[in-house]
Amino acid sequence: MIVNKPKIERYDVTDFLDDEEDVLAYLNAAFEDGHADVVAQAIGNVARARGMSRIAKRCRLGRESLYKSLSDRGNPEFRTILSVLNAMGIRLRVEFDHNERP
């Protein structure tokens, strides 16, 4: 008797980043995590969902270097982060955490 194994598809977060509300919730969760590598990877995932080639072109960066920079092993410069966010039409805001204020 041959048993057919179910096909398991690989999870890709970019499949779920198709509207602005989801993108903002995802990025806010990454920033709340507080780890730079998590934030960079989340920004990279959003850029992939929106078209890495198009984002790289707007940032005047090479697509491959942008992929590498925003990967889980990358270490992008802050200038790169700001450029990518700007290319995607996303703005950062700063606010006080009144529970942590000195």
Side-chain angles (χ1 to χ4, degrees):
M1 173 196 253
I2 298 175
V3 177
N4 290 332
K5 292 183 181 180
K7 184 177 179 181
I8 299 173
E9 293 186 31
R10 185 170 182 186
Y11 175 82
D12 188 350
V13 70
T14 62
D15 294 336
F16 303 95
L17 297 174
D18 49 7
D19 67 44
E20 289 181 356
E21 190 174 303
D22 291 339
V23 167
L24 293 179
Y26 179 67
L27 290 176
N28 282 326
F31 275 98
E32 286 175 17
D33 179 85
H35 290 90
D37 55 335
V38 171
V39 172
Q41 189 174 10
I43 292 169
N45 288 334
V46 173
R48 280 192 313 119
R50 297 216 167 167
M52 188 67 84
S53 295
R54 186 172 57 90
I55 301 302
K57 191 176 204 176
R58 285 183 174 180
C59 294
R60 295 190 171 120
L61 298 169
R63 183 181 58 84
E64 288 300 319
S65 67
L66 195 55
Y67 266 115
K68 186 184 290 187
S69 179
L70 297 174
S71 74
D72 59 346
R73 291 195 170 107
N75 188 17
E77 292 183 11
F78 189 63
R79 172 184 337 214
T80 301
I81 294 291
L82 290 178
S83 180
V84 170
L85 290 174
N86 186 49
M88 294 188 295
I90 298 171
R91 303 289 176 258
L92 292 180
R93 271 194 330 182
V94 178
E95 61 184 46
F96 280 108
D97 180 349
H98 295 287
N99 297 321
E100 299 294 325
R101 199 168 166 189

